[in-house]
Amino acid sequence: MFHFVNNNKQELQLNEQNMPKHIAIIMDGNGRWAAKRALPKKAGHRAGAKTLENISQSAIDLGIEHLTVYAFSTENWKRSDEEVKGIMDLLREYLKNYIDRAKKDNVRVHIIGDVTRLDEDIQQQIVELEQLTKHKTGMSLHIALNYGGRDELLRAIRKVSEDVANGKYQPEEIGEEQLEQYLDTKEIPDPELLIRTSGEERISNFLLWQIAYTELSFTEKLWPDFTEQDLKQAIYQYQNRERRFGGR
Ligand code: FPP
């Protein structure tokens, strides 16, 4: 599993002792993948959902503890009604499959983002799936839905302000650790590696607080074309960079 051949046909080996515990992925390029094949956008998102299943399995096989994926951002509502509906229908299907499989899988599924804006039936599926999987001990899959890093920080700041106003904290007691308890990602270690597909080199409002020291990996591959080998290549890159965290 830790051995692989990269795109230049070099045989490489991942260091099992230095695997990232948490990988975050911006799954970009579904639309272009579909356009290249003269298919409707929804076919691109469907292919993207399939890739997500495959890559989750690869991450499990590699012993990754947390995988966080950007499935729908706070900005994605600006897309056409048809596209938003298409993604939401895929999401329903995806969540249902997960609920059906939850018994035999050992994956904990957790949603980050403001789910209150999603349709009621999707919110119910989320509650059910999180409940069914909350004691699972294998990988945690965090799916970002109606998620924005700024929105997450604003929601956290509002809650902190309430707790300051009602006397739970003095303002000077709020440090990084306290603020983190108000984020959607509380109790999840920060990602060591963030991957974005499709050649765009932007963060697009994903995990703004959490990626302060994260290694970034950009690939030209469109998300539906992203493979286990590409995941290993990104981990290899990460393992061969020096992380200094501002020190020397
Ligand atoms: C970016 O591609 C992708 C999205 C906005 C949605 C991501 C959705 C999935 C991977 C599938 C659905 C996920 C679940 C969990 C059901 P894009 O449309 O921005 O691509 P483009 O930049 O080429 O147009």
Side-chain angles (χ1 to χ4, degrees), residues 105-120:
D105 275 14
N106 196 23
V107 176
R108 180 171 78 100
V109 183
H110 170 235
I111 306 301
I112 62 170
D114 180 4
V115 295
T116 60
R117 196 172 159 190
L118 302 174
D119 286 351
E120 195 63 42

Side-chain angles (χ1 to χ4, degrees), residues 27-33 41 44-50 52 69-73 76 79 83 87 90-92 94-95 143 145 196 198 200 222-223:
M27 308 181 288
D28 196 9
N30 296 345
R32 275 161 286 169
W33 184 91
K41 271 201 159 199
H45 292 311
R46 181 174 289 285
K50 182 72 201 139
L52 173 55
V69 294
Y70 209 1
F72 197 84
S73 77
N76 285 152
R79 298 192 176 198
E83 186 177 358
I87 295 177
L90 268 176
L91 180 60
R92 285 185 174 88
Y94 180 89
L95 294 170
I143 306 173
L145 293 175
R196 182 172 187 150
S198 91
E200 310 291 347
L222 303 175
W223 174 248

